[in-house]
Amino acid sequence: MAAPALQQPSFLLANLKVDSTTKPFLQRCQELVKVIDDYPAKELHLIFPWLVESVFGSLDGVIMGWNLQFLQARSNEYNIVMDFLDPSGPMMKLVYKLQAEEYKYEIPVSFLPPGAHLDNAYFVLVDTYLKYFLPTEGSVPPSPFADNRGSVSPPAPRAPSVPFAGYGIHSTSLLKRHISHQPSVTADPAAQEIWRSEALLQVFVEIWLHHYSLEMYQKLQSPQVKLALLHYRLSMSSMPCQPLTPPGSGTLDTYQTFTPTEEHVLVVRLLVKHLHAFSCSLKPEQVCSSPSAHSHASPLEEFKRVVVQRFVQQKLYVFLQHCFGHWPLDASFRAVLETWLSYIQPWRYTGENTNPQTDQNKGVPEKWGLFVQENLLMYTKLFQGFLNRVVRIDLVNVKNALMVFRVAKVFAQPNLSEMIQKGEQLFLEPEHVLHHRQHRVFLTPSHGGSFLSARQSVVTDGVFRVKSHVYGLEGQDCQYKQMFGTELRGAVLKLIQIIAQARQTAKRISDHSAEVAANNSFMSWFGMGSPDLNYTFNGGEVDDTGECVKKTHEFLERSLDYLCLIFRLNAGQLSQLMATLGSGQDDGNSRQLPDCVQGENGLILTDLGRMQIINGLRRFEIEYQGDPELQPIRSYENAVLVRLFFKISSLVNERFGGHMEVLCSRPDFLGRLGRHYLASPEVMADGRQRSPETRRTAERNRRPRLSLRTLASYRTLLMLLFLYLFGVLFSFGPISSTLLILTGGFLYGLFITLFGDKLKSQ
């Protein structure tokens, strides 16, 4: 039987491009499957870049791709896409065909980061690939596309290419080097079992975590560079038309702003959680076995043992440091926070069926002390970064209060603070302890190579291990700040005061909400709330429901308990802090002005004043200072009547304004009576500073005028309705009732004019 006639690669690609615009999605996928099955790698290598663009979209936006980020399970194309991109599907068959040849591709990383919710095709595919190539049970499945020998060989060794620059405008290549160029991988037959797993993990790490290198991170820790970056950002904010980077700025030339999305962080968390589960799937005897027994372990077992430290730790640390320093101060930081908390709690992913409440009481098993030491900065340095963020956010917001509670609860787990403190003690050991070991090099991921390229002996010296970890990530010149040192303890005490203040504010908001609800429950249908048009209550970004305020109070209360437990603060010390807090406040603190200093152009908020405003402790009195008649229509006013009465009063004021001014300027009884009915409310005669615009309009607002806006209030209308109904009971007609109401109003004004000053003095 003759083989089917194959088209030339150029014609094949042209036909596929035409089909992609004319044929249904299912038919296109079926034809792609047939092409991948029938054609050899020599013809398929031209199709691969186009196929990647077809799936993920093109940089110029001309090709939209398959929209994996927005493809949900309820979509008709969902199952077709999942089958095509499955680890055993046609797309991977094409990859296996091409990987054994000498074809190289430049794939922009901007194709690949995720961008939608957790139930879309992108996240499901990531989870599927992780479970397939990094199984927590059993071994990696053999390739379904085996050659004549029954296996798929890893790629041939190749020399490293130009180093990967990271995400940015100059970055176009997906990989900084060929994944498996190390000779040792192909030399060891046992490595055949896991080379695909290692390759997949390196690809994922390069896509999601390599926004700039460890060397760049360490360089950016220099105080001089930080100051230069600050000046640069300030200048760019004032001159938006300047070039992206200043010429001749050294380190600034290589610094590129990287802003991960919330969904990007969520997929990183998915990777972290699975890697912990993958690593924790080692049997207890494999974890606790002696170094000599490691030589008899399978490559997959060795891979599980070192996967987190060798492949993820360094890049994830730099990634999280970047997020902690650059993420907006809002509740979306929760994604970054949970990724961090997932990494520092590997014991949550051991696969054991445990109760969270029981685990909290039982504490962290002692066997995880080694992990804490090897990841000390993940606990201490990032905790300091979290402190720097949390003192600048509104803790009355229930979402922010929840984040503080989550961190405090995690670090308050029994044994964890002791493990961290022990790690810090090991780091502070004198340097002479390491002199006799200087010939030993701690193999960090930055040295490159597969984890099988050199089987290092287990480092049992905790001092060497912790110092190597800290210096490897922060550089030899780093100034380490102890988590349980004096400086950080002072920052924690400041946080405790802020939490206590926010808790008081939450309680005040709750009490106020309950009081308003009780006062206005009967008349709420009419919108008859507080009649004060200028009334505001700045209690932070809290939901309208009292339930959120109660949760805020609960989260902050428990956070205080956990922080006292972590840093060993007894009840006496906490009471002293609360007393210090209370001494600086009084019952009317919500009416005091925030802390300010006098500047050339008026008051300037201090850092303390900003904190007071953020947490709702103090506020500026916000009042409407314009024309009272032009205030926005309130919910308790009838919009039609407001506009109608404004037109009527404007006509009267325009025609009789001069007469009103003459009347109100008289010093006798008629002048006082006219000022009661016609003069506008007094315009802040307490000497407070006004803006220039307010001063210009002050004289106009003081002019006598007739205002009928009160009659448009639902409260006034309801009162008039009751008065007319009351008149009907006594057989008064509409005209008689109107005359009686006007007479009563005049007599009330007369009484206030005669005796108002005496009543005020009493």
Side-chain angles (χ1 to χ4, degrees):
M1 181 177 178
L6 300 180
Q7 304 178 54
Q8 292 296 323
S10 58
F11 293 111
L12 177 62
L13 180 59
N15 290 337
L16 290 175
K17 288 182 177 180
V18 172
D19 292 345
S20 66
T21 60
T22 58
K23 294 185 178 180
F25 183 74
L26 175 60
Q27 186 177 353
R28 283 156 32 206
C29 287
Q30 291 172 342
E31 292 184 358
L32 281 172
V33 172
K34 190 173 186 306
V35 167
I36 293 171
D37 288 339
D38 294 345
Y39 283 79
K42 183 171 61 176
E43 279 78 20
L44 292 174
H45 80 277
L46 292 177
I47 297 175
F48 184 70
W50 168 81
L51 184 57
V52 171
E53 278 195 341
S54 299
V55 174
F56 297 102
S58 59
L59 285 176
D60 56 12
V62 175
I63 302 177
M64 297 300 297
W66 292 0
N67 287 324
L68 300 181
Q69 299 94 330
F70 308 102
L71 191 61
Q72 307 291 330
R74 58 180 177 270
S75 173
N76 295 330
E77 294 85 8
Y78 181 84
N79 290 330
I80 302 173
V81 170
M82 299 301 290
D83 291 339
F84 188 85
L85 299 177
D86 188 80
S88 302
M91 187 71 169
M92 283 303 297
K93 183 174 183 178
L94 174 60
V95 172
Y96 282 120
K97 277 190 173 185
L98 298 175
Q99 60 86 23
E101 304 296 335
E102 291 294 327
Y103 302 119
K104 298 175 69 175
Y105 303 95
E106 297 291 323
I107 302 178
V109 295
S110 54
F111 278 146
L112 302 171
H117 307 299
L118 291 176
D119 57 349
N120 61 41
Y122 188 99
F123 278 90
V124 174
L125 281 170
V126 169
D127 187 55
T128 301
Y129 273 72
L130 288 173
K131 291 177 179 177
Y132 185 90
F133 290 103
L134 301 169
T136 56
E137 296 181 1
S139 58
V140 182
S143 170
F145 316 112
D147 57 18
N148 295 332
R149 296 172 295 173
S151 64
V152 176
S153 300
R158 297 174 190 170
S161 59
V162 178
F164 185 66
Y167 290 132
I169 57 175
H170 302 296
S171 172
T172 57
S173 176
L174 171 64
L175 302 178
K176 63 181 177 183
R177 60 179 181 274
H178 191 279
I179 287 296
S180 299
H181 71 271
Q182 299 85 2
S184 60
V185 175
T186 56
D188 185 359
Q192 293 276 355
E193 181 183 350
I194 53 90
W195 74 264
R196 291 177 295 142
S197 303
E198 184 183 356
L200 177 86
L201 180 57
Q202 286 195 5
V203 168
F204 281 173
V205 169
E206 294 293 346
I207 292 172
W208 298 321
L209 296 180
H210 200 100
H211 58 285
Y212 53 72
S213 66
L214 178 66
E215 292 75 16
M216 176 59 66
Y217 164 75
Q218 293 176 353
K219 193 175 294 184
L220 291 173
Q221 302 313 299
S222 166
Q224 293 81 6
V225 175
K226 286 184 177 180
L227 183 61
L229 279 175
L230 177 61
H231 288 311
Y232 169 60
R233 289 170 182 163
L234 290 175
S235 65
M236 293 307 297
S237 63
S238 60
M239 295 181 293
C241 297
Q242 293 296 317
L244 289 176
T245 54
S249 56
T251 303
L252 297 182
D253 287 337
T254 57
Y255 180 81
Q256 296 169 351
T257 302
F258 170 70
T259 307
T261 63
E262 187 175 354
E263 293 76 20
H264 182 151
V265 177
L266 290 175
V267 82
V268 171
R269 184 177 183 233
L270 179 64
L271 173 66
V272 168
K273 292 169 64 176
H274 185 84
L275 288 181
H276 275 325
F278 176 69
S279 182
C280 292
S281 63
L282 275 173
K283 297 178 182 178
E285 59 271 15
Q286 296 170 338
V287 176
C288 302
S289 59
S290 62
S292 60
H294 291 177
S295 60
H296 302 290
S298 69
L300 184 61
E301 293 168 355
E302 283 291 316
F303 189 37
K304 290 181 179 181
R305 198 185 315 278
V306 300
V307 63
V308 174
Q309 301 299 113
R310 292 294 311 279
F311 285 87
V312 178
Q313 184 205 59
Q314 178 204 96
K315 291 183 173 63
L316 181 64
Y317 175 73
V318 176
F319 177 81
L320 290 176
Q321 280 279 43
H322 184 86
C323 291
F324 272 60
H326 295 81
W327 201 274
L329 293 173
D330 57 26
S332 66
F333 185 72
R334 178 76 185 276
V336 179
L337 185 81
E338 293 298 336
T339 303
W340 171 45
L341 297 181
S342 293
Y343 182 84
I344 64 175
Q345 298 183 91
W347 47 87
R348 292 179 53 195
Y349 307 100
T350 56
E352 302 173 359
N353 294 325
T354 55
N355 187 307
Q357 186 64 36
T358 305
D359 287 351
Q360 183 73 18
N361 298 331
K362 185 167 51 177
V364 181
E366 290 293 337
K367 66 179 182 179
W368 293 106
L370 181 63
F371 179 88
V372 174
Q373 294 174 17
E374 292 177 340
N375 294 271
L376 185 64
L377 291 174
M378 286 286 195
Y379 294 89
T380 60
K381 188 74 180 290
L382 292 181
F383 183 82
Q384 296 171 33
F386 177 73
L387 277 184
N388 292 335
R389 291 184 59 89
V390 79
V391 296
R392 295 180 290 159
I393 61 176
D394 175 17
L395 296 185
V396 183
N397 185 317
V398 65
K399 296 179 180 179
N400 292 335
L402 175 59
M403 287 193 285
V404 177
F405 166 73
R406 289 281 296 120
V407 173
K409 182 179 180 181
V410 167
F411 278 85
Q413 294 176 86
N415 301 336
L416 181 56
S417 59
E418 289 79 3
M419 291 178 179
I420 297 173
Q421 204 161 6
K422 182 179 179 181
E424 292 192 320
Q425 292 170 355
L426 290 172
F427 177 76
L428 296 175
E429 287 288 333
E431 291 294 333
H432 66 78
V433 176
L434 297 179
H435 286 343
H436 68 285
R437 303 186 185 89
Q438 290 302 314
H439 66 282
R440 297 168 62 183
V441 178
F442 185 78
L443 186 58
T444 63
S446 60
H447 291 140
S450 169
F451 78 93
L452 292 175
S453 59
R455 299 197 177 192
Q456 63 182 109
S457 60
V458 176
V459 181
T460 57
D461 190 328
V463 176
F464 179 77
R465 178 170 51 248
V466 175
K467 286 181 179 290
S468 299
H469 159 68
V470 174
Y471 291 140
L473 290 180
E474 289 290 326
Q476 295 289 333
D477 300 327
C478 75
Q479 299 295 323
Y480 181 78
K481 293 182 181 179
Q482 299 180 59
M483 179 173 171
F484 295 94
T486 304
E487 182 178 351
L488 194 66
R489 186 180 180 87
V492 171
L493 294 179
K494 178 182 178 182
L495 173 61
I496 288 176
Q497 286 188 316
I498 294 175
I499 291 175
Q501 291 170 337
R503 184 182 58 173
Q504 292 179 3
T505 303
K507 186 177 186 303
R508 189 165 66 248
I509 294 173
S510 179
D511 295 343
H512 172 78
S513 300
E515 180 183 350
V516 171
N519 293 338
N520 297 339
S521 58
F522 175 73
M523 307 302 290
S524 60
W525 185 82
F526 295 99
M528 296 181 182
S530 172
D532 184 2
L533 301 183
N534 292 319
Y535 180 80
T536 57
F537 191 87
N538 183 8
E541 298 175 5
V542 185
D543 290 15
D544 294 334
T545 61
E547 188 65 28
C548 287
V549 180
K550 292 180 181 178
K551 287 183 179 179
T552 298
H553 190 277
E554 178 185 353
F555 289 147
L556 296 177
E557 182 76 28
R558 296 179 66 182
S559 298
L560 283 177
D561 295 338
Y562 285 137
L563 288 173
C564 292
L565 187 63
I566 297 167
F567 293 93
R568 299 178 179 86
L569 297 175
N570 55 42
Q573 292 171 308
L574 185 61
S575 300
Q576 184 178 0
L577 280 175
M578 298 300 104
T580 304
L581 174 65
S583 64
Q585 302 181 15
D586 56 27
D587 293 337
N589 62 356
S590 63
R591 295 292 179 180
Q592 294 179 0
L593 292 180
D595 190 65
C596 303
V597 295
Q598 186 67 40
E600 294 181 0
N601 298 320
L603 297 177
I604 301 176
L605 276 175
T606 63
D607 291 339
L608 175 61
R610 293 188 184 93
M611 184 272 293
Q612 291 169 338
I613 291 178
I614 288 174
N615 290 290
L617 302 174
R618 296 185 182 181
R619 61 185 175 91
F620 289 105
E621 295 295 335
I622 302 175
E623 296 182 347
Y624 182 81
Q625 298 177 0
D627 188 342
E629 295 298 304
L630 299 179
Q631 293 186 72
I633 297 175
R634 300 301 198 271
S635 60
Y636 52 82
E637 294 178 317
N638 185 285
V640 176
L641 292 180
V642 168
R643 296 186 178 98
L644 176 62
F645 289 146
F646 175 74
K647 292 180 179 179
I648 295 174
S649 59
S650 297
L651 290 175
V652 173
N653 292 329
E654 183 178 353
R655 175 165 295 189
F656 302 104
H659 298 287
M660 294 178 185
E661 251 183 279
V662 172
L663 176 64
C664 292
S665 62
R666 294 176 57 167
D668 55 8
F669 174 77
L670 289 178
R672 285 191 292 157
L673 186 64
R675 286 192 293 273
H676 171 75
Y677 284 108
L678 300 177
S680 62
E682 291 186 5
V683 185
M684 293 181 60
D686 54 5
R688 279 185 281 176
Q689 291 187 349
R690 296 179 173 277
S691 65
E693 181 181 4
T694 305
R695 285 195 293 267
R696 286 195 300 267
T697 58
E699 290 299 324
R700 185 189 59 176
N701 292 339
R702 289 195 184 100
R703 293 174 183 171
R705 68 181 70 188
L706 175 67
S707 177
L708 302 176
R709 183 162 178 169
T710 305
L711 299 177
S713 168
Y714 288 118
R715 176 180 295 177
T716 304
L717 293 174
L718 186 61
M719 185 180 299
L720 290 174
L721 177 62
F722 286 153
L723 290 176
Y724 278 107
L725 291 176
F726 187 76
V728 171
L729 293 177
F730 291 92
S731 302
F732 287 107
I735 298 178
S736 302
S737 297
T738 302
L739 291 175
L740 286 174
I741 292 173
L742 292 176
T743 303
F746 174 77
L747 293 176
Y748 173 78
L750 190 65
F751 177 81
I752 294 297
T753 302
L754 291 173
F755 304 104
D757 293 338
K758 295 181 180 180
L759 293 175
K760 288 180 181 179
S761 62
Q762 293 177 357

